[in-house]
Amino acid sequence: VSRREQVFWGWGEPGAGPELPEHAGAWLREHLGLSGEVVDRPVGLADVRLRAPALDAKVRERLAAVAEVRDDDEARVLRAAGKSYLDLLAQRAGNCEAAPDAVVAPRSAEAVAEVLRICAEADVAIVPFGGGTSVVGGVAPLRGERESLVSLDLGRLDRVLGVEGQLVRVQPGLRLPEADHALRGHGLTLGHFPQSYEWATVGGCVATRSSGQASTGFGRIDRNVVALRMATPQGELASREVPASAAGPSLREIAVGSEGVLGVITEVSLRARPLAAERRYEGFFLRSFADGCAVLRDLAEDGIAPDVARLSDEEETAASLALAGRAGLARVVGRLRPCLLVCGWEGDVGRRRREARRLLRGAGAFAAGQAAGRAWQRSRFAGPHLRDDLLDRGALVETLETAATWERLAGLRDAVAAALAGLHVGCHVSHVYPTGASLYFTALGRRDPADPAGQWQRHKAAACDAIMAAGGTITHHHAVGRDHAPWMEQEMGALGLDALRALKERLDPTGVLNPGKLLAA
Amino acid sequence: VSRREQVFWGWGEPGAGPELPEHAGAWLREHLGLSGEVVDRPVGLADVRLRAPALDAKVRERLAAVAEVRDDDEARVLRAAGKSYLDLLAQRAGNCEAAPDAVVAPRSAEAVAEVLRICAEADVAIVPFGGGTSVVGGVAPLRGERESLVSLDLGRLDRVLGVEGQLVRVQPGLRLPEADHALRGHGLTLGHFPQSYEWATVGGCVATRSSGQASTGFGRIDRNVVALRMATPQGELASREVPASAAGPSLREIAVGSEGVLGVITEVSLRARPLAAERRYEGFFLRSFADGCAVLRDLAEDGIAPDVARLSDEEETAASLALAGRAGLARVVGRLRPCLLVCGWEGDVGRRRREARRLLRGAGAFAAGQAAGRAWQRSRFAGPHLRDDLLDRGALVETLETAATWERLAGLRDAVAAALAGLHVGCHVSHVYPTGASLYFTALGRRDPADPAGQWQRHKAAACDAIMAAGGTITHHHAVGRDHAPWMEQEMGALGLDALRALKERLDPTGVLNPGKLLAA
């Protein structure tokens, strides 16, 4: 298999990603009380603990007749977890006891359907696996009372099926960079750039309602899905490929975001974007986070927001300048405590930018130039690579996110920051809508070696409770998975959750699809 | 009750709407073989046939404790049908045997919930009633085996609850003109202008996934709903009021378009639009419908489509000029057979219009000036008024609509036109998306006095079959109601329909909500 694969204990192809710079050590010492030295290393594959595969031989044989089946340690360990902080803590320590019993990789939509039928019949749990980049336990191999669990790897369904104007049909296992590579010849891009871009698949993005860094301009993935096909144990659910319809509740919007709990997406029709002829990324300093939010709101209401709009709060601005080694600038920033706004314009730069700059000047913004924009562009996918380095150095490092209406945004930010007290917390607005915005938090701290998982779980639970109380959504773009499931009743109401469970019971009556996720109590 | 009310047999407040002009007679003679004389008049209220109200006295009493209850003829007859051609045929003839047994008008979301509980307990069918403008049998009083049926009139829930920036919270029974009137003081408009604008309610638009004439620019109503509350017999279903969320399948998109079959919308949060500072409506002539579609596709793909974009085909262009009395122009048009494109720009006129005109020139378009745009603006809500006149004159007159991807659009138009053979058929593109467009057909003919309903039903069924076969959606903005329900299995697939029925069973287990609509076999 020549497909790119991640490392089981972290993010990148080893050595491929950016590393924490030398001068970061000082920041880690000052702000987190860490030595800056490597104090922890992931175990090697040989030292990982996992059980012998527990898949019935007859079932394995039936699956092997319709799909590639692997049960070697490497395949199983790589699909034993996603890429959250908690996942990496466990993986780095070689704790893969729950790894899937087999990895099943079909090559067609029909074979996916067949795998579902076989597993439903044999009561084998199925975890659909795209890029494996979930940070909410979305691919956690939870089998409940079941004896066996397989990882349904969609990596072999990776073709572009057709391009008609801006309408693009793809298979779910296609990774985002490969999708954009294939579309480039048509003058198109998906325009979808989550931080997981390097590994994420189109199907995974659709199943989790992903948002990319340019979603302010290009829209979340759910806004760009035109139609899809989804295999379920009861047959195929397919929405009609039309630009819009008034025919009842939206099947598309039931399948989108269903996280492998209702079915497995086997084909997606998407709206793609023309490649931008012109592109400009630049930075501005705002006097306060409140000033920045106010101007972003104005930009969004006026329909002239940049395609990428990211406003860091005072903490995050200071930390990122310090970590970028811009000590001089960081000192100035340390005194004035401004907030950095990165604006990225993709196509139609002139008019929007001109009008936006007028609004920004009116809000007292200070232009930081294209260098600030380019610096952000260079490091836009660096976070998860740097995290591996931070984990080596004994850090607690995790992110969480939410969204709210403009009126509730400031209160929401304060509430989450309070819930994360004791950690170093940076926050940014990363997606802007006419009616509100998302908030993204990065928490850093000194890992408690006695109970590293419990340490974060307590913070995370407090943050989620705070989000719910302050009127945010439990997730703007990380999805629900296992980790947010306990808050779904607050998110949807008891009846709303019950309604979704009714769908689950109809489409997956034996409950083999991704147990313990999304709709689990 | 001071609320505006329609006439039971047609559209307007009598005398309030535009009437068919004098010179239309010649066109009706030439093209439909009608005399142009009035040959048919609606019966008066006294001559309407309806059964005595069959609502149990105890139930009536319970309902009256939480809502206004009326069972006079006037109230019942006005809620006995929507406003389709078939509805008006029946109403004009005084055929209201199936009229609701009572009209129940609660004044709060809590009272709506109470009405649902009482009716579910007593097994009384409920037809939610907003503006009553359905043209697909959406408010048809179908009781099935039930003894009683009430019309749940939402007209008393007509308040604006709050405005925060562009986020607007309203009650469902608020009519669109009243909503815009209230929002004007905030510098806002809903920007939603269906042809039923004069009577339609916000809740009705949301429940039916309405599109307005400016939806190309401002988006369909489903794209502008931020959140909603829906009463069901099992309790309240409410989506969270956030600008976006990745928390699973969308409850909002399950409630939107549910046509009173899953619940009754009691509150809606919407994104409104700033009032346009500048506005320009103008016409262009294209050499052919294909040329016009090609340029609309280019405009949509480039993101510079006008907010209102309507391209009439050769037949519709000729007919509308003739009916508008522009005989000289009509003669020229008769020879050249061009297609009229109306472009309406609302705000940000300059840049988009400049770029669009360049594309239009390149496509060989001939500018017809602002007169053509203004003429369309003046008559934008005239259709249903003129229909009353046409019905008086013995015409068959009905519309239907669909949407498809750009590649399928020409074939779809030809297929529907073929299915309506024998009638005079005009067609226009009325909503444009980057991946496709909607088609709207107006069919005119000489009514068969022996079987007027059957005459249209046969045409309509043939057209719906053609739409399905050609890859269109059964409805782009008229919704499903009773009339499109037989095609829902083709639209959604058997499993898709089954999934929606699972929702129905969970939310409305006794099936009292709008029986026979949307999900009915």
Coordinates of all heavy atoms in Angstrom, one line a residue, chain A residues 38-90:
Chain A
V38 N 13.6 17.4 26.5 CA 12.7 16.2 26.2 C 12.7 15.4 27.5 O 13.8 15.0 28.0 CB 13.3 15.5 25.0 CG1 12.6 14.1 24.9 CG2 13.2 16.3 23.8
V39 N 11.5 15.1 28.0 CA 11.4 14.3 29.2 C 10.5 13.0 28.9 O 10.3 12.2 29.8 CB 10.7 15.1 30.3 CG1 11.7 16.3 30.7 CG2 9.4 15.6 29.9
D40 N 10.1 12.9 27.7 CA 9.1 11.8 27.4 C 9.2 11.5 25.9 O 9.3 12.4 25.1 CB 7.7 12.3 27.7 CG 6.6 11.3 27.5 OD1 6.8 10.2 28.0 OD2 5.6 11.6 26.8
R41 N 9.2 10.2 25.6 CA 9.3 9.8 24.2 C 8.2 8.7 24.0 O 8.0 7.9 24.8 CB 10.7 9.1 23.9 CG 11.8 10.1 23.7 CD 11.7 10.7 22.3 NE 12.8 11.5 22.0 CZ 12.9 12.5 21.1 NH1 11.8 12.7 20.4 NH2 13.9 13.1 20.8
P42 N 7.6 8.7 22.8 CA 6.7 7.6 22.5 C 7.4 6.3 22.4 O 8.6 6.2 22.0 CB 6.1 8.0 21.1 CG 7.1 9.0 20.6 CD 7.8 9.7 21.7
V43 N 6.7 5.2 22.8 CA 7.2 3.9 22.7 C 7.4 3.5 21.2 O 6.7 4.1 20.3 CB 6.3 2.8 23.4 CG1 6.2 3.2 24.9 CG2 5.0 2.7 22.7
G44 N 8.2 2.5 20.9 CA 8.2 1.9 19.6 C 7.1 1.0 19.4 O 6.4 0.5 20.3
L45 N 6.8 0.6 18.1 CA 5.7 -0.3 17.8 C 5.8 -1.6 18.5 O 4.8 -2.2 19.0 CB 5.7 -0.5 16.3 CG 4.5 -1.4 15.7 CD1 3.2 -0.7 16.1 CD2 4.7 -1.6 14.2
A46 N 7.1 -2.1 18.7 CA 7.3 -3.4 19.3 C 6.8 -3.4 20.8 O 6.5 -4.4 21.4 CB 8.8 -3.8 19.2
D47 N 6.8 -2.2 21.4 CA 6.5 -2.1 22.8 C 5.0 -1.7 23.1 O 4.6 -1.6 24.2 CB 7.3 -1.1 23.5 CG 8.8 -1.5 23.5 OD1 9.0 -2.7 23.7 OD2 9.7 -0.7 23.3
V48 N 4.2 -1.6 22.0 CA 2.8 -1.3 22.2 C 2.1 -2.5 22.7 O 2.4 -3.6 22.3 CB 2.2 -0.8 20.8 CG1 0.7 -0.8 20.9 CG2 2.8 0.5 20.4
R49 N 1.2 -2.3 23.6 CA 0.4 -3.4 24.2 C -1.0 -3.5 23.5 O -1.7 -2.5 23.4 CB 0.1 -3.2 25.7 CG 1.4 -3.2 26.5 CD 1.1 -2.8 28.0 NE 0.4 -1.5 28.1 CZ 1.1 -0.4 28.1 NH1 2.4 -0.3 27.8 NH2 0.4 0.8 28.2
L50 N -1.2 -4.6 22.8 CA -2.6 -4.8 22.3 C -2.9 -6.3 22.3 O -2.0 -7.2 22.4 CB -2.6 -4.3 20.8 CG -2.0 -4.9 19.6 CD1 -2.4 -4.2 18.4 CD2 -0.5 -4.9 19.7
R51 N -4.2 -6.5 22.4 CA -4.7 -7.9 22.5 C -4.6 -8.6 21.1 O -4.5 -7.9 20.1 CB -6.2 -7.9 22.9 CG -6.4 -7.5 24.3 CD -7.9 -7.7 24.7 NE -8.7 -6.7 24.0 CZ -9.5 -5.9 24.5 NH1 -9.7 -6.0 25.8 NH2 -10.2 -5.1 23.8
A52 N -4.7 -9.9 21.1 CA -4.7 -10.7 19.9 C -6.0 -10.4 19.2 O -7.0 -10.1 19.9 CB -4.6 -12.2 20.2
P53 N -6.0 -10.4 17.9 CA -7.3 -10.1 17.2 C -8.4 -11.1 17.5 O -8.1 -12.3 17.6 CB -6.9 -10.2 15.7 CG -5.4 -10.3 15.6 CD -4.9 -10.7 17.0
A54 N -9.6 -10.5 17.8 CA -10.7 -11.4 18.2 C -11.8 -11.4 17.2 O -13.0 -11.4 17.5 CB -11.2 -10.9 19.6
L55 N -11.4 -11.5 15.9 CA -12.5 -11.6 14.9 C -12.7 -13.0 14.5 O -11.7 -13.8 14.2 CB -12.0 -10.8 13.7 CG -13.0 -10.6 12.6 CD1 -14.3 -9.9 13.1 CD2 -12.4 -9.8 11.4
D56 N -13.9 -13.5 14.5 CA -14.3 -14.8 14.1 C -13.7 -15.1 12.7 O -13.8 -14.3 11.8 CB -15.8 -14.9 14.1 CG -16.3 -16.3 13.7 OD1 -16.3 -17.2 14.5 OD2 -16.6 -16.4 12.5
A57 N -13.1 -16.3 12.6 CA -12.5 -16.7 11.3 C -13.4 -16.7 10.1 O -13.1 -16.2 9.0 CB -11.8 -18.0 11.5
K58 N -14.6 -17.1 10.4 CA -15.6 -17.2 9.3 C -16.0 -15.8 8.8 O -16.1 -15.5 7.6 CB -16.9 -17.9 9.8 CG -16.8 -19.4 9.9 CD -17.7 -20.0 8.8 CE -17.6 -21.5 8.7 NZ -17.8 -22.2 10.0
V59 N -16.1 -14.9 9.8 CA -16.5 -13.5 9.5 C -15.3 -12.8 8.7 O -15.5 -12.2 7.7 CB -16.8 -12.7 10.8 CG1 -17.0 -11.2 10.5 CG2 -18.0 -13.3 11.5
R60 N -14.1 -13.1 9.2 CA -12.9 -12.6 8.6 C -12.9 -13.0 7.1 O -12.6 -12.2 6.2 CB -11.7 -13.1 9.3 CG -10.4 -12.4 8.9 CD -9.2 -13.0 9.5 NE -8.0 -12.2 9.4 CZ -7.4 -11.9 8.2 NH1 -7.8 -12.4 7.1 NH2 -6.3 -11.1 8.2
E61 N -13.2 -14.3 6.9 CA -13.2 -14.8 5.5 C -14.2 -14.1 4.6 O -14.0 -13.8 3.5 CB -13.5 -16.3 5.6 CG -13.1 -17.2 4.5 CD -13.3 -18.6 4.8 OE1 -12.7 -19.2 5.8 OE2 -14.2 -19.2 4.2
R62 N -15.4 -13.9 5.2 CA -16.5 -13.2 4.4 C -16.0 -11.8 4.1 O -16.3 -11.3 3.0 CB -17.8 -13.2 5.2 CG -18.5 -14.6 5.3 CD -19.8 -14.5 6.0 NE -20.8 -13.6 5.3 CZ -21.9 -13.1 5.8 NH1 -22.2 -13.4 7.0 NH2 -22.7 -12.4 5.0
L63 N -15.5 -11.1 5.1 CA -15.0 -9.8 4.8 C -13.9 -9.7 3.8 O -13.9 -8.9 2.9 CB -14.5 -9.1 6.1 CG -15.6 -8.8 7.2 CD1 -15.0 -8.4 8.5 CD2 -16.5 -7.7 6.7
A64 N -13.0 -10.7 3.9 CA -11.8 -10.7 3.0 C -12.3 -11.0 1.5 O -11.6 -10.7 0.6 CB -10.8 -11.8 3.4
A65 N -13.5 -11.5 1.4 CA -14.0 -11.8 0.0 C -14.5 -10.5 -0.7 O -14.6 -10.4 -1.9 CB -15.2 -12.8 0.1
V66 N -14.7 -9.4 0.1 CA -15.2 -8.2 -0.4 C -14.3 -7.0 -0.2 O -14.5 -5.9 -0.8 CB -16.6 -7.8 0.1 CG1 -17.6 -8.9 -0.3 CG2 -16.6 -7.6 1.6
A67 N -13.2 -7.2 0.6 CA -12.4 -6.0 1.0 C -11.0 -6.6 1.4 O -10.9 -7.7 1.8 CB -13.0 -5.2 2.1
E68 N -10.0 -5.7 1.4 CA -8.7 -6.1 2.0 C -8.9 -6.1 3.5 O -9.5 -5.2 4.1 CB -7.7 -5.0 1.6 CG -6.3 -5.4 2.0 CD -5.3 -4.3 1.7 OE1 -5.6 -3.3 0.9 OE2 -4.1 -4.4 2.2
V69 N -8.4 -7.1 4.1 CA -8.4 -7.2 5.6 C -7.0 -7.4 6.1 O -6.3 -8.2 5.7 CB -9.3 -8.5 6.0 CG1 -9.3 -8.6 7.5 CG2 -10.7 -8.3 5.5
R70 N -6.7 -6.5 7.1 CA -5.3 -6.7 7.7 C -5.5 -6.8 9.2 O -6.4 -6.1 9.8 CB -4.5 -5.4 7.4 CG -3.9 -5.4 6.1 CD -3.1 -4.1 5.8 NE -2.0 -3.9 6.8 CZ -1.2 -2.8 6.7 NH1 -1.4 -1.8 5.9 NH2 -0.2 -2.8 7.6
D71 N -4.7 -7.6 9.9 CA -4.7 -7.5 11.3 C -3.3 -7.6 11.9 O -3.1 -8.0 13.1 CB -5.6 -8.7 11.9 CG -5.2 -10.0 11.4 OD1 -4.1 -10.1 10.8 OD2 -6.0 -11.0 11.6
D72 N -2.4 -7.1 11.2 CA -1.0 -6.9 11.7 C -1.0 -5.7 12.7 O -1.9 -4.9 12.7 CB 0.0 -6.6 10.6 CG -0.4 -5.4 9.7 OD1 -1.4 -5.6 8.9 OD2 0.2 -4.4 9.9
D73 N 0.0 -5.8 13.6 CA 0.0 -4.8 14.7 C 0.0 -3.3 14.1 O -0.7 -2.4 14.6 CB 1.3 -4.9 15.5 CG 1.2 -6.2 16.4 OD1 0.1 -6.8 16.4 OD2 2.1 -6.4 17.2
E74 N 0.8 -3.1 13.1 CA 1.0 -1.8 12.5 C -0.4 -1.2 12.1 O -0.8 -0.1 12.5 CB 2.0 -1.8 11.4 CG 2.4 -0.4 11.0 CD 3.4 -0.4 9.9 OE1 3.8 -1.4 9.4 OE2 3.7 0.8 9.4
A75 N -1.1 -2.0 11.3 CA -2.4 -1.5 10.8 C -3.4 -1.3 12.0 O -4.1 -0.2 12.0 CB -3.0 -2.5 9.9
R76 N -3.4 -2.1 13.0 CA -4.3 -2.0 14.1 C -4.0 -0.9 15.0 O -4.9 -0.1 15.4 CB -4.4 -3.3 14.9 CG -4.9 -4.5 14.1 CD -4.8 -5.8 14.9 NE -5.5 -5.7 16.1 CZ -5.2 -6.4 17.2 NH1 -4.1 -7.2 17.3 NH2 -6.0 -6.3 18.3
V77 N -2.7 -0.7 15.3 CA -2.3 0.4 16.2 C -2.5 1.7 15.6 O -3.0 2.7 16.3 CB -0.8 0.2 16.6 CG1 -0.3 1.4 17.3 CG2 -0.6 -1.1 17.4
L78 N -2.3 1.9 14.3 CA -2.5 3.2 13.6 C -4.0 3.6 13.6 O -4.4 4.7 13.5 CB -2.0 3.1 12.2 CG -1.9 4.4 11.5 CD1 -1.2 5.5 12.3 CD2 -1.1 4.2 10.2
R79 N -4.9 2.6 13.8 CA -6.3 2.9 13.8 C -7.0 2.7 15.2 O -8.2 2.5 15.3 CB -7.0 2.0 12.7 CG -6.7 2.6 11.3 CD -6.9 1.6 10.2 NE -6.4 2.1 9.0 CZ -5.1 2.0 8.6 NH1 -4.2 1.4 9.4 NH2 -4.7 2.5 7.5
A80 N -6.1 2.7 16.2 CA -6.6 2.5 17.6 C -7.0 3.8 18.2 O -7.6 3.8 19.3 CB -5.5 1.8 18.4
A81 N -6.8 4.9 17.6 CA -7.1 6.2 18.2 C -7.1 7.3 17.2 O -6.5 7.1 16.1 CB -6.1 6.5 19.3
G82 N -7.7 8.4 17.5 CA -7.5 9.6 16.7 C -6.3 10.4 17.2 O -5.3 9.8 17.6
K83 N -6.4 11.8 17.1 CA -5.3 12.6 17.4 C -5.5 13.7 18.5 O -4.9 14.8 18.4 CB -4.8 13.2 16.1 CG -4.4 12.2 15.0 CD -3.2 11.4 15.4 CE -2.8 10.4 14.3 NZ -1.7 9.5 14.7
S84 N -6.4 13.3 19.4 CA -6.5 14.3 20.5 C -5.4 14.1 21.5 O -4.6 13.2 21.4 CB -7.8 14.0 21.3 OG -7.7 12.8 22.0
Y85 N -5.3 15.1 22.4 CA -4.3 15.0 23.5 C -4.4 13.7 24.2 O -3.4 13.0 24.5 CB -4.4 16.2 24.4 CG -3.6 16.2 25.6 CD1 -2.2 16.2 25.6 CD2 -4.2 16.2 26.9 CE1 -1.4 16.2 26.7 CE2 -3.5 16.2 28.0 CZ -2.1 16.2 28.0 OH -1.3 16.2 29.1
L86 N -5.6 13.3 24.6 CA -5.8 12.1 25.3 C -5.4 10.9 24.5 O -4.8 9.9 25.0 CB -7.3 12.0 25.8 CG -7.8 13.0 26.8 CD1 -9.3 12.8 27.1 CD2 -7.0 13.0 28.1
D87 N -5.8 10.9 23.2 CA -5.4 9.8 22.3 C -3.9 9.7 22.3 O -3.3 8.6 22.4 CB -5.8 10.1 20.9 CG -7.3 10.0 20.7 OD1 -8.0 9.2 21.4 OD2 -7.9 10.7 19.8
L88 N -3.2 10.8 22.2 CA -1.7 10.7 22.0 C -1.0 10.3 23.3 O -0.1 9.6 23.3 CB -1.2 12.1 21.5 CG -1.7 12.4 20.1 CD1 -0.9 13.6 19.6 CD2 -1.6 11.3 19.1
L89 N -1.6 10.7 24.5 CA -1.1 10.3 25.7 C -1.1 8.7 25.8 O -0.1 8.1 26.1 CB -2.0 10.8 26.9 CG -1.8 12.2 27.3 CD1 -2.7 12.5 28.5 CD2 -0.4 12.6 27.7
A90 N -2.2 8.2 25.4 CA -2.4 6.7 25.4 C -1.5 6.0 24.4 O -0.8 5.1 24.7 CB -3.8 6.3 25.2

